[in-house]
Amino acid sequence: MNLYEEIYQRAARKFDSPQALEQVLPPVLSGAQLASKSDSFYLSTMTRRIFQAGMTHSVINNKWAHFEKVFWGFDPEKVVLIDES
């Protein structure tokens, strides 16, 4: 068994079945679909995953609309203007 398969099997056991695991995974997008996404989409998605790494996913998911509003939809041209201090 390769490492990916081992990780997948562990996750499937956590969710009681491969089908239950698949229901919580995001859809797989094609290359064309990914290319059509905006920079805001990528910045938002990366930020969300980073926040989820340090907090309970449900907390982040429940408040994500507020994060989107506060960070101007994660528009890179606006976010770059945030003062570091």
Side-chain angles (χ1 to χ4, degrees), residues 40-58:
S40 299
F41 167 81
Y42 285 104
L43 182 57
S44 173
T45 301
M46 288 188 298
T47 304
R48 187 175 193 163
R49 299 302 177 237
I50 291 166
F51 286 2
Q52 286 176 331
M55 296 184 72
T56 304
H57 289 211
S58 61

Side-chain angles (χ1 to χ4, degrees), residues 10-62:
R10 283 185 184 185
R13 283 192 302 272
K14 178 181 177 185
F15 284 90
D16 296 325
S17 72
Q19 295 79 14
L21 172 60
E22 293 294 331
Q23 289 179 342
V24 299
L25 293 174
V28 176
L29 302 178
S30 70
Q33 289 170 313
L34 291 171
S36 72
K37 297 290 184 184
S38 68
D39 290 343
S40 299
F41 167 81
Y42 285 104
L43 182 57
S44 173
T45 301
M46 288 188 298
T47 304
R48 187 175 193 163
R49 299 302 177 237
I50 291 166
F51 286 2
Q52 286 176 331
M55 296 184 72
T56 304
H57 289 211
S58 61
V59 170
I60 300 301
N61 292 341
N62 291 338

